[in-house]
Amino acid sequence: MMHTEGMLKEGALKGKTIIVTGGGTGLGKSMGLYFLKLGANLVITSRKLDVLQGTAREMEKETGGTVLAVSCDVREIDQVESLFDQAEAAFGKVDGVLNNAAGNFISPTERLSTNAFNTVIDIVLKGSANVTMTAGKRWIQNKQKGTFLNIVTTYAWTGSGYVVPSAAAKAGVLAMTRSLAVEWAKYNIRSNAIAPGPFPTEGAWSRLLPGDLVKKFDPAKKVPVGRVGEHQELANLAAYLMSDYSSYVNGEVITIDGGEWLQGAGEFNNLEAIPQEMWDMLEASRGKKP
Ligand code: HXC
Ligand code: NAP
């Protein structure tokens, strides 16, 4: 068994139609591909139709499954409504939504324009809300069960300098996840979140570690298990939370970061830097025999 292998049973998502926002690239593409391999009907969406169509063709070739590519800016409610209309026309109904689309960049907060701040909030928080409200209203109206899975980050609860709009927006998405997990459970709608640590993608790396920063701040060095994440590891978790195997998991956020955020949080974790010889000396000074 390898951590890079698919984990769920064949057909675990058979018959389910799942919309993945930001599904043409990066983590959304990897999670969507695994949903497809598990038998789901997949709808991928983002702003760039050419990218989506290329990804859809690639995925269909690899799996023999069906992928619908729909361009939609999640900030525009009319486009979100049209996305759901197209998904329902193609597959009859939508069963799951993966809110994965995001916008982010690094900057000292005092250098951000109002529009820069608003742009990230509009995509991440309001965009996820647009998609969630549209799906939820339709599911409730049609008395149909549904599953939300929202991709946040660990700084949704710690906060983080230099990505303040993203931190504020992801915190909002996490609050929405937990709130709706309770409010909409009566309609058979579950809401969960995943907080990934560093998983290499072109979109994130080019914006968060531009230029030489990637050499100076190797993300793997901040992770106790000593490496960054593999996309399949995230896809396994996402598929489980999207599937009926997780029917009793509701309102949870699952961290998948190799221990990264706790490393920064634990008061004495930096004692890792103390060499064994120094621990020997400290023991000796307490009178312990070697
Ligand atoms: C400061 C910036 C900026 C930057 C853009 N802006 N980039 N400000 N530093 N690096 C400002 C612009 O000057 C403008 O303000 C405003 O933001 C909007 O910029 P546009 O380019 O017009 O916006 P738009 O075309 O809508 O593009 C949105 C975007 C872009 C967020 C700026 O980067 C994008 O399309 N991103 C999508 C993919 C993405 O970000 N992926 C990474 C997700 S990674 P003014 O005032 O000039 O008009 C992630 C990881 C989290 O979330 C955790 C990691 C561990
Ligand atoms: P990515 O490839 O850049 O993914 C972001 C996606 O969002 C893109 O496909 C983009 O497509 C789409 N998007 C952006 N603005 C949109 C809009 N207005 N409407 C619709 N779609 C939009 O980066 P990623 O690393 O895979 O990130 C995926 C998710 O994981 C994000 O939620 C991110 O915050 C989260 N995450 C990533 C990491 C990591 O280490 N990679 C860690 C923690 C959390 P278009 O440009 O075509 O619109």
Side-chain angles (χ1 to χ4, degrees):
M1 193 280 297
M2 297 270 294
H3 65 278
T4 49
E5 281 169 20
M7 174 184 113
L8 287 202
K9 264 192 210 156
E10 207 180 302
L13 295 174
K14 201 164 169 43
K16 288 191 189 293
T17 299
I18 300 171
I19 295 181
V20 178
T21 69
T25 65
L27 302 182
K29 178 178 175 181
S30 298
M31 291 184 276
L33 177 62
Y34 191 44
F35 297 166
L36 194 62
K37 285 182 177 167
L38 292 169
N41 303 315
L42 184 65
V43 183
I44 54 174
T45 183
S46 77
R47 294 164 300 176
K48 299 188 192 105
L49 187 58
D50 53 334
V51 173
L52 293 168
Q53 286 172 335
T55 298
R57 275 195 300 273
E58 211 183 288
M59 288 174 160
E60 286 180 339
K61 206 169 151 203
E62 187 174 338
T63 63
T66 313
V67 182
L68 178 68
V70 181
S71 74
C72 164
D73 186 327
V74 292
R75 292 171 286 193
E76 303 297 334
I77 191 65
D78 293 350
Q79 293 184 29
V80 174
E81 289 285 357
S82 165
L83 161 70
F84 278 80
D85 290 344
Q86 291 179 61
E88 286 168 5
F91 298 117
K93 63 181 173 45
V94 173
D95 303 277
V97 167
L98 176 60
N99 276 307
N100 164 82
N104 199 1
F105 41 73
I106 48 166
S107 173
T109 308
E110 70 277 14
R111 289 178 183 242
L112 291 174
S113 68
T114 304
N115 188 36
F117 204 105
N118 288 346
T119 298
V120 173
I121 299 284
D122 285 349
I123 298 170
V124 178
L125 179 54
K126 293 190 191 168
S128 301
N130 281 340
V131 176
T132 301
M133 292 285 282
T134 303
K137 284 178 185 177
R138 288 176 187 227
W139 286 336
I140 292 165
Q141 169 93 31
N142 298 334
K143 298 192 171 29
Q144 193 206 318
K145 89 175 190 183
T147 305
F148 288 114
L149 181 56
N150 300 327
I151 304 299
V152 295
T153 69
T154 54
Y155 60 61
W157 55 90
T158 63
S160 174
Y162 304 95
V163 286
V164 168
S166 172
K170 293 285 193 183
V173 173
L174 182 54
M176 183 170 74
T177 308
R178 288 172 164 154
S179 306
L180 290 179
V182 175
E183 190 183 335
W184 283 355
K186 61 179 174 284
Y187 300 120
N188 224 343
I189 297 172
R190 287 189 300 129
S191 302
N192 289 297
I194 296 178
F199 282 78
T201 65
E202 157 66 22
W205 260 225
S206 65
R207 291 177 177 90
L208 304 177
L209 295 163
D212 278 351
L213 283 190
V214 73
K215 286 186 207 137
K216 280 197 181 130
F217 300 100
D218 175 5
K221 293 209 172 110
K222 286 172 57 210
V223 183
V225 303
R227 65 174 175 85
V228 292
E230 294 280 349
H231 286 206
Q232 186 62 47
E233 294 177 289
L234 178 65
N236 282 338
L237 179 57
Y240 165 69
L241 290 173
M242 205 37 105
S243 77
D244 293 336
Y245 289 117
S246 62
S247 296
Y248 204 48
V249 183
N250 187 30
E252 191 51 83
V253 54
I254 301 187
T255 300
I256 178 165
D257 74 342
E260 185 202 34
W261 86 268
L262 285 168
Q263 161 128 317
E267 183 77 30
F268 290 101
N269 285 345
N270 55 1
L271 297 193
E272 189 68 27
I274 294 185
Q276 290 304 321
E277 302 74 52
M278 196 177 288
W279 287 117
D280 292 343
M281 278 165 53
L282 287 167
E283 269 181 9
S285 71
R286 285 193 282 114
K288 188 167 184 277
K289 301 246 163 40

